[in-house]
Amino acid sequence: MLEQYKQLFSSLFSPIWFTLIEKRTKFNEDTQWIFEFTYSSLIDSTKETIKIDIRIEPLLKKVPQYKEIIAIYQDPITNQPFFHHHVLQVMDLDEIFAEKMRAALTRNEPAIRDFFDIWYAKKQNFNFKNITVLIHEKVAEVDFRYT
């Protein structure tokens, strides 16, 4: 299955100049894979990286949604968007923030990105009270006990 993802990502991203780095961060071989890609910045040609994190389980609690990619970057020569009407299957926003809360609460070492994302969502009026039960379910999946 891992090899299938590597082939899929390579074929999807090579037309937009992303190269899969063979090195892969192993978080948990059975449940999570993290792929890293390099690309050259269109602004100053520096090498940049992007990571894609695939989590195999546990299963999602909410039905995924389909969202259209909104391209903010344009080809500097043609002034056309890089992405033309592509739709991706994505996690429900409630589930994304329940996962974010689980991560913030259960990491051995805090990650500032979790707290920034939670702060930003709160600033955008995301109502965390609506997902309290979902957060507790997510925390229970990792067998974490509040202290």
Side-chain angles (χ1 to χ4, degrees):
M1 188 180 214
L2 174 61
E3 209 45 52
Q4 290 171 317
Y5 275 113
K6 286 170 81 171
Q7 290 173 1
L8 174 66
F9 287 146
S10 292
S11 66
L12 283 175
F13 294 131
S14 63
I16 56 172
W17 310 292
F18 281 53
T19 304
L20 177 64
I21 297 174
E22 277 304 309
K23 127 179 126 75
R24 182 175 57 85
T25 305
K26 292 183 182 179
F27 175 78
N28 184 326
E29 192 71 32
D30 299 325
T31 62
Q32 184 179 24
W33 301 320
I34 301 172
F35 296 94
E36 189 170 328
F37 295 85
T38 61
Y39 65 95
S40 293
S41 168
L42 292 173
I43 297 169
D44 62 4
S45 298
T46 58
K47 282 281 189 193
E48 302 289 341
T49 60
I50 188 170
K51 291 182 183 178
I52 296 180
D53 185 338
I54 297 184
R55 192 164 165 212
I56 307 302
E57 55 184 51
L59 298 176
L60 298 176
K61 306 280 185 194
K62 300 184 94 62
V63 176
Q65 300 174 358
Y66 289 89
K67 299 282 184 173
E68 185 174 354
I69 295 175
I70 300 171
I72 59 173
Y73 298 107
Q74 296 181 338
D75 184 302
I77 297 169
T78 66
N79 290 326
Q80 296 296 310
F82 276 119
F83 299 102
H84 298 280
H85 190 71
H86 288 284
V87 176
L88 295 176
Q89 186 178 25
V90 297
M91 290 172 60
D92 180 89
L93 194 58
D94 287 351
E95 186 139 20
I96 290 171
F97 284 113
E99 286 284 348
K100 188 57 72 173
M101 289 294 292
R102 177 204 50 79
L105 291 168
T106 62
R107 284 187 199 273
N108 290 334
E109 302 225 357
I112 193 66
R113 67 184 175 271
D114 295 331
F115 295 99
F116 175 84
D117 292 345
I118 292 164
W119 168 81
Y120 186 79
K122 189 71 174 158
K123 188 174 176 178
Q124 299 300 313
N125 297 317
F126 183 83
N127 189 345
F128 284 91
K129 289 181 183 177
N130 292 342
I131 63 168
T132 304
V133 171
L134 187 57
I135 293 168
H136 286 285
E137 289 173 2
K138 294 288 183 179
V139 170
E141 288 174 351
V142 294
D143 198 30
F144 182 80
R145 297 199 175 30
Y146 295 103
T147 57

